Amino acid sequence: NAGVTQTPKFQVLKTGQSMTLQCAQDMNHNSMYWYRQDPGMGLRLIYYSASEGTTDKGEVPNGYNVSRLNKREFSLRLESAAPSQTSVYFCASSERETAKNIQYFGAGTRLSVL
Amino acid sequence: AQKITQTQPGMFVQEKEAVTLDCTYDTSDQSYGLFWYKQPSSGEMIFLIYQGSYDEQNATEGRYSLNFQKARKSANLVISASQLGDSAMYFCAMREGPTGGGNKLTFGTGTQLKVEL
């Protein structure tokens, strides 16, 4: 009953380091999303993938890249981390064919950039 | 302009009482969806309830109901018979346009609910 799995749960980086946040879903969903959550600002969309093979920018894409590796997996990469990227990152997935298109979220990755 | 506005940063409610969390939205689309999510202190985002713009009746899911007033562009969450476990941050979110691939959500800033004995 895994749903959406994110790894790692916690990460500390130094400015300029790179890392990849991993996300996998086992619900056979077509669409996947990456959000960041900052205090007092709710969740903001970074990138999304409507279906396997496609990716698009969201509201705050600068400093990030994504890869939709296959239908299950959608990774988020920080090439050169900055303190402004300290945040909690959430991955989500949804099934676009349903009327509601509910997004289901992973447990989040708490990232600190020093 | 904010697409989703939650004007209550924090709310208190007595156990077993009902509470209403406010949400107003702004869109020019005729087809859209409204969602409420719960985020407990453990951090995960839990889907609670959904209302489509063409749904004629207010959505209900157990103790949760959505008071949808389309003309006023409001989608308030009502929690009946509050429990201690309802203490959490609650987010209102909107999907603009019809369902399809890559339906992005816009979130409000959230309301922190505290249920007291």
Side-chain angles (χ1 to χ4, degrees), chain B residues 12-98:
Chain B
F12 291 89
V13 65
Q14 294 277 323
E15 193 182 23
K16 300 179 186 176
E17 297 286 308
V19 62
T20 298
L21 306 184
D22 294 341
C23 173
T24 58
Y25 59 92
D26 183 25
T27 182
S28 56
D29 286 346
Q30 296 301 308
S31 178
Y32 53 89
L34 297 155
F35 302 76
W36 278 91
Y37 284 85
K38 173 184 178 181
Q39 186 177 42
S41 58
S42 51
E44 70 269 32
M45 295 287 288
I46 301 167
F47 166 74
L48 294 178
I49 195 166
Y50 168 83
Q51 180 83 42
S53 59
Y54 294 120
D55 294 342
E56 294 185 351
Q57 296 202 340
N58 287 341
T60 60
E61 292 282 352
R63 293 187 298 111
Y64 304 108
S65 60
L66 202 152
N67 184 1
F68 181 47
Q69 298 187 45
K70 196 169 181 176
R72 296 180 61 186
K73 292 189 175 178
S74 74
N76 299 338
L77 177 69
V78 181
I79 305 174
S80 63
S82 296
Q83 302 172 356
L84 294 177
D86 294 333
S87 294
M89 181 73 87
Y90 289 81
F91 289 97
C92 180
M94 177 173 64
R95 179 207 74 234
E96 292 181 274

Side-chain angles (χ1 to χ4, degrees), chain A residues 31 33 35 37 40-43 45 48 50 90 96 98-103 105 107, chain B residues 35 37 39 43-45 47 50 61 91 95 99-105 107-109:
Chain A
S31 302
Y33 313 80
Y35 293 87
Q37 182 179 24
M41 297 190 72
L43 277 72
L45 184 66
Y48 68 100
F90 286 97
R96 65 181 180 179
T98 63
K100 296 180 180 180
N101 206 319
I102 296 165
Q103 291 187 20
F105 285 79
Chain B
F35 302 76
Y37 284 85
Q39 186 177 42
E44 70 269 32
M45 295 287 288
F47 166 74
Y50 168 83
E61 292 282 352
F91 289 97
R95 179 207 74 234
T99 58
N103 283 144
K104 298 167 282 184
L105 292 181
F107 283 82
T109 53

Side-chain angles (χ1 to χ4, degrees), chain A residues 16-72:
Chain A
Q17 287 185 317
S18 62
M19 80 161 294
T20 299
L21 281 65
Q22 306 287 352
C23 175
Q25 52 91 9
D26 63 2
M27 296 177 281
N28 202 35
H29 286 169
N30 284 298
S31 302
M32 298 185 73
Y33 313 80
W34 276 105
Y35 293 87
R36 60 178 288 172
Q37 182 179 24
D38 301 300
M41 297 190 72
L43 277 72
R44 292 181 293 167
L45 184 66
I46 304 171
Y47 270 94
Y48 68 100
S49 171
S51 60
E52 188 178 354
T54 69
T55 60
D56 283 288
K57 295 179 180 178
E59 182 185 353
V60 289
N62 291 345
Y64 305 95
N65 285 301
V66 290
S67 295
R68 183 73 184 267
L69 304 169
N70 49 54
K71 190 173 185 179
R72 290 186 63 248

